[in-house]
Amino acid sequence: MADTTHGALAPTYDPLPITVARAHGTHVWDTDGNEFLDFLSGYSALNFGHLHQGLVAAAMTQLRQVTLTSRAFDHDRLEEFAQRLVEVVGVLTTGGEDSLVVPMNTGAEAVETAVKAVRKWGHDVRGVPEDEATVVVASGNFHGRTTTLVGLSDSTTARDGFGPFAPGFRRVPFGDLDAVAAAVDDTTVAVLMEPVQGEAGVVVPPDDFWPGLRELTAKQDIALVADEVQSGLGRTGTTLACELWDVQPDLVCLGKALGGGIIPVSAVVGKPEILGVLTPGTHGSTFGGNPLACAVGIAALDLLSTGQYQARAVASGKVLTERLEALVERGLLAEARTIGLWAGIDLDPALGTGRELCEALLERGVLAKDARTETVRLSPPLSIVQPELEMALDILEESLVALRGEHSAAAANEMANAATGEAAGTATDEAVDEATDTAADDATDDTSDEKPGEDLGEEPGEAAGADAVAEPVPDTADAEAAAAETEAADEPADVVEDKTGPEGREERSELSPTAG
């Protein structure tokens, strides 16, 4: 794999040692031609896979027409994009068919837009005094990296050194409805939360949490804002994650997958009474809603409107859940949380860190990213076919077994070295004592018998996992066949059940940096 050096780049990231040069579907290739399965999907921005033909075609067609006008002028794709968002997403909010849309570029911009809207709505409509509006957020959240949004975080890495932060936010434990109820008062204009916390490690709240939030906020005329930048647009097996609990938020923030992994596209969609307070001059964006973004966004929404990608997430998610639960039962994982085609897996600290697991996966041909110290997030493209999914999960199992062997061997060696050191220290002390006794005997002509020193040394023990080897892993379609199947899946078909069980497979196809 090529070394990743960034001489002119500020060190804002610590990437895995891979330099990607080409991608298609669920596969990427580095600058040396090594092939990998992508199990991060650009933090869910690539829900439809890399270079989906329909999305690329939409972008290429628009590139030949017009790419930017700014919002100083309308263009012929803007209203079409907004209307398509209302049809696919707006109807899932309390705005229904009358929902409004504010197009932006990044997920952070969408959340910032929602914060501005609910504050102004609180002041203009609710009558909250100027500069007194409050918003309730959750601990463990990730809403973006602007100075306002890192101020909502409880991550020291995200916050430290970037203050002072914007006032008016109250943070409560995620999933704790009583804490939310205690935090709201007459100044509260919104509750802003992720339905499922992605950056925290795919944390799923109790089933009664979001229905409880909806009931609480409706009674007190508080806006319920769902940040679905990561969880939305098919990842959880539904268009919005809020659908899993039959909840309609007042506003929903979208991003990532809305741009199909081709261009940054985001939006806030929902209740016209709230978004309607953003009048000319109060908010805007030069690139927000540009023609190229609208063309790609429309194509992405068209893919979602069939429901096929959501169905794929459900079917593939069942396979993902079953395999991860089996790894938990075997003690290879401490915990696994899955929802749709999305999982957060926790390692036993004695086994290794999330980064170490990602490095082990990389060596075997799978790309993933740690979310916390002992947590890795798995989010393959929704277009993944079953042979690819099984292959990646086989590699995950193989990597975990290897980590367990390495750490068991390291622990055994450490114990052996400690025992050897102790024995050597004891032997040295006895040698000194013996020499002292001998000298004393010579000095006094003592003729008593010499007492031999005891040998307390121990032979280093064998490493507990030194003889552990990766168990046979299933045989799947080879990488070329999987890539071909992925290309065919640009117009997705139903996920085909795997008819062969682990007992019927002896080894997996090669998909690793050494395969070339």
Side-chain angles (χ1 to χ4, degrees), residues 131-466:
D131 297 333
E132 292 186 16
T134 59
V135 176
V136 177
V137 299
S139 58
N141 73 73
F142 180 83
H143 296 294
R145 298 191 185 277
T146 63
T147 50
T148 295
L149 299 183
V150 297
L152 314 188
S153 174
D154 52 7
S155 165
T156 56
T157 302
R159 288 175 58 93
D160 286 359
F162 298 114
F165 300 114
F169 297 97
R170 297 170 179 170
R171 191 167 57 240
V172 300
F174 183 60
D176 188 336
L177 190 59
D178 291 337
V180 177
V184 302
D185 59 24
D186 291 342
T187 68
T188 305
V189 296
V191 173
L192 162 65
M193 294 187 183
E194 304 155 270
V196 178
Q197 292 188 327
E199 290 297 311
V202 190
V203 178
V204 184
D207 285 339
D208 62 350
F209 182 62
W210 272 88
L213 285 182
R214 180 67 284 179
E215 182 179 0
L216 173 67
T217 53
K219 283 182 178 179
Q220 301 198 37
D221 197 20
I222 296 170
L224 181 58
V225 183
D227 178 353
E228 297 242 20
V229 172
Q230 284 197 45
S231 63
L233 305 183
R235 174 56 59 185
T236 62
T238 49
T239 301
L240 295 181
C242 285
E243 292 181 79
L244 296 170
W245 301 286
D246 292 325
V247 167
Q248 290 186 325
D250 297 308
L251 299 181
V252 60
C253 303
L254 301 172
K256 296 195 185 297
L258 190 57
I262 294 178
I263 186 173
V265 184
S266 70
V268 183
V269 185
K271 205 168 185 177
E273 290 87 345
I274 300 175
L275 293 180
V277 303
L278 297 178
T279 54
T282 61
H283 193 59
S285 169
T286 299
F287 280 87
N290 67 75
L292 182 59
C294 288
V296 174
I298 291 167
L301 291 166
D302 286 345
L303 293 175
L304 281 170
S305 65
T306 66
Q308 292 182 2
Y309 279 93
Q310 295 90 322
R312 292 179 73 92
V314 171
S316 295
K318 291 179 180 177
V319 176
L320 181 65
T321 300
E322 291 172 359
R323 292 289 301 271
L324 293 180
E325 287 178 350
L327 295 178
V328 172
E329 290 175 3
R330 290 181 54 193
L332 290 171
L333 290 175
E335 184 181 347
R337 299 170 297 279
T338 59
I339 185 164
L341 192 54
W342 202 14
I345 56 175
D346 297 340
L347 281 74
D348 183 335
L351 188 65
T353 65
R355 173 74 180 211
E356 287 176 317
L357 176 57
C358 290
E359 290 171 350
L361 289 168
L362 176 68
E363 291 175 1
R364 293 163 175 82
V366 172
L367 302 182
K369 180 70 172 66
D370 49 313
R372 294 194 305 253
T373 303
E374 276 88 36
T375 302
V376 172
R377 168 182 37 206
L378 303 176
S379 52
L382 305 184
S383 58
I384 194 168
V385 293
Q386 184 138 350
E388 294 172 331
L389 179 60
E390 294 281 7
M391 178 188 294
L393 292 172
D394 291 340
I395 292 173
L396 172 63
E397 179 179 350
E398 181 181 329
S399 300
L400 288 167
V401 169
L403 274 182
R404 182 167 64 180
E406 290 172 6
H407 281 265
S408 295
N413 287 335
E414 184 175 343
M415 291 177 62
N417 291 335
T420 302
E422 182 180 347
T426 302
T428 300
D429 290 341
E430 291 187 351
V432 171
D433 291 342
E434 182 178 343
T436 302
D437 290 342
T438 302
D441 290 341
D442 291 342
T444 61
D445 293 325
D446 187 353
T447 59
S448 60
D449 291 336
E450 182 179 332
K451 181 179 179 180
E454 292 181 331
D455 184 5
L456 298 181
E458 296 180 13
E459 290 297 322
E462 292 185 1

